[in-house]
């Protein structure tokens, strides 16, 4: 069975368990739905094999309530709030269900945003991660006028950021850990060469002081304090800018991270709803970006022979 097909079946089974919460679902019901969907038998041994792999791949455990013989995934708010992956899965499957509805009862009444492609590579990457096998990928960087590169990489993990998936891997040609956007991968193959991941490695620790998918090049995180408008503070409380976010005043927030270009652009995108208090170097960077943008508009006004209104 192709990796992509097996991956699809794992997602189907997770979705089924999500929909069955909190009552759960019996193995007989699972088998019946499987046969309706895939038109093949579903032996208990195969079901248990899938359960094991889902836990290994995603860290999501399908539990059996022995008193009722029903299977379920714990989707309680307390559990999902402490497990970002499960929370992401729930959101993903909610979207899948919406898309299914879009083709039937709610045609033309559900709108979703287009996201970059690249999901096709996820199953191959996950399989290589599980088997600790290296990958050979052909990659074209943004803004590159050169021919695509073919690289040998060790898949350390995958990360989602700003609606785009990334492969985090050690590149043998570069002798360092790099980040590759999946939608920029032209070709990807699993090799027979194995590798050993450093014990205790986690993506959370790798990116703990970073914003987005930025990898530190020796920089250290700094303390950042921003002030916001009352309304903007409500948005930021509900959707933190960074995992280090800490509210220290009614409209004041503190962070500890490396202020890379993506972080600066995030702050700039919020306009006058955010003011950088410290450090002064970041305050100057944000000011400089605002001034450059203002200069573009002022120059355009001058060329058109009109002045901006106050």
């Amino acid at each position: 069975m192709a990796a992509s097909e097996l991956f699809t079946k794992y997602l189907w089974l997770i979705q089924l368990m999500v929909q069955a919460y909190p009552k759960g679902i019996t193995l007989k019901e699972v088998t019946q739905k499987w046969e309706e969907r895939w038109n093949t038998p579903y032996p208990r041994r195969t079901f248990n094999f899938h359960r094991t792999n889902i836990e290994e791949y995603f860290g999501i455990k399908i539990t059996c309530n022995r008193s009722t013989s029903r299977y379920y995934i714990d989707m309680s708010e307390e559990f999902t709030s402490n497990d970002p992956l499960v929370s992401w899965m729930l959101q993903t499957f909610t979207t899948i269900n919406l898309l299914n509805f879009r083709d039937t009862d709610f045609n033309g009444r559900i709108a979703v945003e287009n996201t970059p492609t690249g999901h096709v590579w996820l199953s191959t990457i996950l399989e290589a991660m599980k088997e600790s096998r290296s990958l050979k990928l052909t990659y074209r960087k943004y803004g590159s006028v050169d021919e695509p590169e073919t690289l040998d990489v060790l898949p350390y993990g995958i990360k989602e950021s700003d609606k785009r998936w990334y492969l985090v891997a050690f590149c043998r040609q570069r002798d360092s850990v790099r980040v590759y956007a999946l939608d920029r991968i032209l070709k990807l193959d699993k090799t027979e060469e194995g590798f050993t991941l450093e014990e205790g490695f986690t993506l959370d620790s790798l990116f703990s002081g970073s914003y987005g998918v930025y990898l530190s090049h020796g920089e250290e995180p700094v303390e950042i304090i921003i002030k916001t408008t009352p309304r903007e503070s409500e948005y930021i409380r509900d959707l933190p800018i960074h995992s280090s976010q800490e509210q220290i005043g009614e409209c004041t927030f503190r962070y500890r991270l490396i202020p890379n270009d993506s972080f600066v652009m995030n702050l700039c995108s919020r306009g006058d709803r955010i003011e950088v208090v410290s450090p002064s170097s970041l305050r100057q960077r944000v000011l400089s970006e605002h001034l450059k943008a203002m200069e573009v508009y002022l120059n355009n006004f001058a060329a058109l022979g009109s002045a901006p209104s106050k």
Side-chain angles (χ1 to χ4, degrees):
M1 181 184 300
S4 58
E5 181 182 349
L6 188 58
F7 185 63
T8 300
K9 290 180 176 179
Y10 291 157
L11 296 183
W12 176 88
L13 185 57
I14 295 172
Q15 182 183 9
L16 184 64
M17 295 296 163
V18 167
Q19 293 174 331
Y21 180 82
K23 182 180 179 181
I25 186 170
T26 65
L27 180 58
K28 181 179 180 180
E29 292 169 330
V30 173
T31 301
Q32 181 180 359
K33 290 181 180 296
W34 175 279
E35 292 176 352
E36 291 173 356
R37 172 64 178 84
W38 304 105
N39 198 30
T40 59
Y42 198 35
R44 179 186 291 271
R45 183 178 65 178
T46 304
F47 170 66
N48 287 329
F49 173 74
H50 289 171
R51 287 176 63 197
T52 300
N53 280 354
I54 285 170
E55 186 170 1
E56 289 186 16
Y57 278 139
F58 307 109
I60 297 176
K61 186 174 183 178
I62 298 176
T63 303
C64 179
N65 184 334
R66 298 299 179 186
S67 62
T68 62
S69 297
R70 288 181 172 272
Y71 294 87
Y72 66 95
I73 292 172
D74 187 352
M75 298 306 302
S76 64
E77 183 176 353
E78 178 182 359
F79 179 72
T80 56
S81 63
N82 292 326
D83 194 323
L85 182 56
V86 174
S87 179
W88 173 84
M89 282 288 182
L90 178 60
Q91 295 172 24
T92 299
F93 293 135
T94 299
T95 302
I96 290 173
N97 285 334
L98 283 174
L99 293 177
N100 289 337
F101 277 126
R102 187 179 66 170
D103 293 333
T104 54
D105 301 332
F106 299 104
N107 185 34
R109 297 171 62 188
I110 297 175
V112 297
E113 294 184 2
N114 288 329
T115 57
T117 57
H119 304 87
V120 65
W121 307 120
L122 278 172
S123 56
T124 301
I125 294 171
L126 287 170
E127 192 174 74
M129 287 166 55
K130 184 177 187 297
E131 298 173 3
S132 296
R133 304 257 291 278
S134 65
L135 293 165
K136 183 180 290 292
L137 65 85
T138 303
Y139 191 78
R140 184 189 297 276
K141 295 187 293 186
Y142 277 107
S144 176
V145 295
D146 301 325
E147 290 295 314
E149 294 182 291
T150 298
L151 305 167
D152 298 307
V153 302
L154 312 181
Y156 283 3
I158 53 175
K159 180 176 173 63
E160 185 188 24
S161 179
D162 200 18
K163 298 195 297 184
R164 179 175 269 113
W165 280 100
Y166 295 87
L167 166 65
V168 182
F170 181 87
C171 177
R172 286 202 169 98
Q173 284 79 2
R174 302 289 184 268
D175 194 30
S176 63
V177 177
R178 297 296 177 98
V179 178
Y180 303 96
L182 264 58
D183 54 299
R184 306 303 295 173
I185 295 177
L186 304 180
K187 186 179 180 183
L188 184 70
D189 293 301
K190 187 173 58 173
T191 76
E192 297 300 321
E193 187 174 356
F195 72 96
T196 302
L197 187 65
E198 180 181 348
E199 186 175 353
F201 171 86
T202 67
L203 289 184
D204 287 342
S205 60
L206 182 65
F207 290 96
S208 61
S210 300
Y211 179 80
V213 292
Y214 178 79
L215 287 172
S216 170
H217 299 288
E219 309 97 320
E220 292 293 331
V222 299
E223 182 180 86
I224 297 166
I225 296 178
I226 65 171
K227 290 195 304 185
T228 74
T229 62
R231 184 166 184 176
E232 189 69 17
S233 68
E234 295 178 10
Y235 288 115
I236 292 176
R237 277 197 298 269
D238 290 343
L239 189 61
I241 296 176
H242 187 258
S243 60
S244 65
Q245 179 171 299
E246 177 187 1
Q247 187 165 4
I248 58 175
E250 185 176 352
C251 296
T252 308
F253 297 84
R254 176 165 55 203
Y255 304 87
R256 186 161 186 82
L257 55 86
I258 300 168
N260 62 353
D261 290 343
S262 294
F263 181 68
V264 172
M265 289 300 102
N266 184 314
L267 298 181
C268 289
S269 70
R270 300 170 189 269
D272 62 355
R273 303 186 300 277
I274 277 186
E275 177 189 357
V276 176
V277 177
S278 65
S280 58
S281 56
L282 177 59
R283 181 180 175 91
Q284 183 59 45
R285 284 176 67 185
V286 173
L287 172 62
S288 176
E289 292 298 331
H290 282 311
L291 289 175
K292 285 190 288 186
M294 185 176 69
E295 185 178 358
V296 170
Y297 284 97
L298 290 175
N299 288 339
N300 285 339
F301 276 121
L304 294 171
S306 60
S309 59
K310 294 183 179 180

